[in-house]
Amino acid sequence: MVELSKDDADLYERARAVAARAYAPYSGFAVGAALRAADGTIFSAVNVENASYGLTSCAERNALFAAVSAGSRHLEAIAIHADAESVPPCGACRQVLSELAPEMRVIWRRAGVPVVSALADLLPERFVL
């Protein structure tokens, strides 16, 4: 774990605020994500559920896809928020994030408190071709 900077705390607050927009009628588990690109641009997203659960899309991947769609490839940090004690990104999101930003900082809740981890610490053996 590394120390939470003011920029990280601000990014986390953006993720917390956007979580209210999640579409989670099945689980009731609203998740918000805010991703910061190297140029300072913030991409926010939420989880979007589907009755066919496998088609549900996580907030983290939605934020990443928005950044890539906007042409952003240099990504520094992502913050994830949900009303739960511990909310690290799921394994699928860790793998997808590592494709473009293996050195990314990840801000998430552990024991109800925002913490920062290196993505590589959360996914030490990522799949690489």
Side-chain angles (χ1 to χ4, degrees):
M1 294 296 148
V2 293
E3 189 173 329
L4 193 71
S5 71
K6 181 185 179 325
D7 286 344
D8 292 338
D10 291 345
L11 192 65
Y12 181 81
E13 180 55 31
R14 295 277 294 264
R16 190 200 61 73
V18 76
R21 297 187 208 152
Y23 179 72
Y26 307 105
S27 71
F29 192 71
V31 180
L35 185 148
R36 183 177 59 238
D39 68 0
T41 303
I42 306 293
F43 298 92
S44 298
V46 298
N47 59 316
V48 179
E49 292 182 349
N50 188 275
S52 176
Y53 293 123
L55 300 178
T56 292
S57 187
C58 296
E60 300 93 307
R61 283 181 276 158
N62 289 337
L64 176 70
F65 298 157
V68 170
S69 294
S72 194
R73 295 286 196 281
H74 303 287
L75 311 172
E76 291 183 342
I78 190 166
I80 301 113
H81 171 82
D83 287 329
E85 282 296 301
S86 183
V87 189
C90 73
C93 287
R94 294 175 197 200
Q95 178 61 42
V96 171
L97 290 166
S98 75
E99 180 87 12
L100 289 175
E103 303 304 316
M104 175 182 283
R105 293 165 58 89
V106 181
I107 301 105
W108 54 287
R109 283 174 72 141
R110 174 186 276 163
V113 178
V115 297
V116 179
S117 299
L119 181 58
D121 290 341
L122 295 175
L123 184 67
E125 294 294 332
R126 67 188 184 103
F127 179 81
V128 184
L129 287 180

